[in-house]
């Protein structure tokens, strides 16, 4: 395990990095370039993190997480939002919350309608397709706010994990009055790992979920109203997890 400054990836090496190391870490300017928009356009999404709903499913008894969740299907250049549905993971991938149908509030339609939303999701899906053919992609989008209003906030209460998908993107949307929140990634079948802290809004870590395990360490308050906002996106082939037993909500 090494502890260094964030090991940023040259955007021109994004595909090779995912194939070789199982992850790519992009600077905010490169994320905007990849999405074909400006950082100002990406920032039009930020205000929606102030409107997230409490996560009532936390099994550790905490009240530190707020979130919204929606699903999409990407087929070529077409990104289509599905009927609202519960999020489901098997216990093999989420020992704490697996096996539960968790129905969260959907991402606000006004947020989905912003041009930056579609540009970002399509561009990242295209990046995944350059590594592994997957159309159509079954995409889940999670807006998270982890706060420190009651002390410690846990971005990944389930610990180091895989998500049971093909690719995972974690984008830092913002940090305010906190310390901690270190990102840790480990080889799924080896000893190597990296640890670093994403500090600048729209920093992105894109992960091959079959190759690496990931987690984020707890956050602690460093002032009033401390919180950490992220956008987590996943891409999966063949259907959403739990499709054979999923209770789709319309």
């Amino acid at each position: 395990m090494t502890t260094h400054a964030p090991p940023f990836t040259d955007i021109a090496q994004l595909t090779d990095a995912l194939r070789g190391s199982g992850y790519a870490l992009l600077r905010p300017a490169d994320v905007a370039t990849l999405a074909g928009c400006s950082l100002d356009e990406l920032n039009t999404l930020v205000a929606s993190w102030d409107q997230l709903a409490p996560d009532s499913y936390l099994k550790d008894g905490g009240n530190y997480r707020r979130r919204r969740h929606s699903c999409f299907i990407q087929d070529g250049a077409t990104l289509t939002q599905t009927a609202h549905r519960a999020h489901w993971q098997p216990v093999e991938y989420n020992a704490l919350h697996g096996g539960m149908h968790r129905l969260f509030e959907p991402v606000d339609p006004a947020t989905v309608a912003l041009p930056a939303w579609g540009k970002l999701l399509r561009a990242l899906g295209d990046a995944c397709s350059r590594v592994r053919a997957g159309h159509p992609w079954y995409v889940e989008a999670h807006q998270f706010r982890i706060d420190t209003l009651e002390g410690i906030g846990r971005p990944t209460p389930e610990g180091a994990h895989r998500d049971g998908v093909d690719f995972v993107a974690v984008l830092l949307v913002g940090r305010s009055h906190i310390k901690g929140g270190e990102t840790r990634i480990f080889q799924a079948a080896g000893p190597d790992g990296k640890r670093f802290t994403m500090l600048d809004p729209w920093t992105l870590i894109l992960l091959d979920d079959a190759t690496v395990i990931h987690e984020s360490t707890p956050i602690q308050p460093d002032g009033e109203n401390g919180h950490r906002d992220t956008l987590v996106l996943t891409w999966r082939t063949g259907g959403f997890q739990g499709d054979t037993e999923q209770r789709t909500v319309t």
Side-chain angles (χ1 to χ4, degrees):
M1 176 73 72
T2 57
T3 305
H4 293 143
F8 287 112
T9 305
D10 186 316
I11 191 171
Q13 301 301 316
L14 173 61
T15 301
D16 289 342
L18 282 168
R19 287 175 175 162
S21 303
Y23 74 92
L25 179 68
L26 294 188
R27 296 176 174 85
D30 287 338
V31 174
T33 297
L34 185 69
C37 63
S38 67
L39 285 172
D40 285 343
E41 284 183 89
L42 289 175
N43 284 333
T44 63
L45 303 171
V46 172
S48 63
W49 267 260
D50 290 330
Q51 308 299 323
L52 304 189
D55 182 342
S56 60
Y57 295 95
L58 283 170
K59 293 179 71 175
D60 64 0
N63 296 298
Y64 51 81
R65 185 159 76 183
R66 305 176 72 86
R67 69 192 293 177
R68 288 179 181 268
H69 165 257
S70 287
C71 294
F72 303 82
I73 296 175
Q74 182 177 353
D75 194 357
T78 302
L79 183 71
T80 305
Q81 187 169 3
T82 72
H84 192 45
R85 54 185 288 128
H87 176 53
W88 188 90
Q89 293 175 291
V91 293
E92 291 82 3
Y93 291 107
N94 190 328
L96 187 61
H97 298 114
M100 302 171 60
H101 288 93
R102 293 179 287 165
L103 184 63
F104 302 107
E105 290 295 317
V107 177
D108 191 310
T111 302
V112 175
L114 289 169
W117 182 270
K119 289 180 180 180
L120 182 62
L121 268 64
R122 281 190 291 268
L124 290 174
D126 289 345
C128 295
S129 294
R130 288 193 287 273
V131 179
R132 186 180 308 132
H135 287 302
W137 287 117
Y138 294 81
V139 185
E140 296 196 49
H142 307 259
Q143 293 179 289
F144 287 103
R145 169 166 288 180
I146 308 299
D147 67 48
T148 59
L149 300 181
E150 295 182 353
I152 300 296
R154 295 177 174 83
T156 53
E158 64 272 33
H161 65 284
R162 291 166 53 207
D163 285 309
V165 296
D166 287 273
F167 295 96
V168 179
V170 181
L171 295 114
L172 179 71
V173 175
R175 294 170 56 102
S176 179
H177 299 302
I178 61 166
K179 52 188 176 181
E182 181 181 74
T183 297
R184 297 180 177 180
I185 54 176
F186 313 88
Q187 283 184 326
D192 292 340
K194 298 288 184 184
R195 54 194 298 175
F196 51 88
T197 303
M198 296 194 293
L199 297 173
D200 297 322
W202 301 111
T203 300
L204 160 73
I205 182 76
L206 183 58
L207 308 166
D208 182 337
D209 193 54
T211 304
V212 295
I213 299 168
H214 64 281
E215 68 175 337
S216 297
T217 62
I219 60 173
Q220 302 174 50
D222 192 23
E224 294 185 0
N225 193 30
H227 60 270
R228 178 178 184 263
D229 293 345
T230 55
L231 174 61
V232 176
L233 304 165
T234 65
W235 290 264
R236 188 173 189 268
T237 56
F240 295 106
Q241 287 193 95
D243 262 351
T244 57
E245 60 207 2
Q246 180 67 271
R247 295 173 297 181
T248 301
V249 178
T250 59

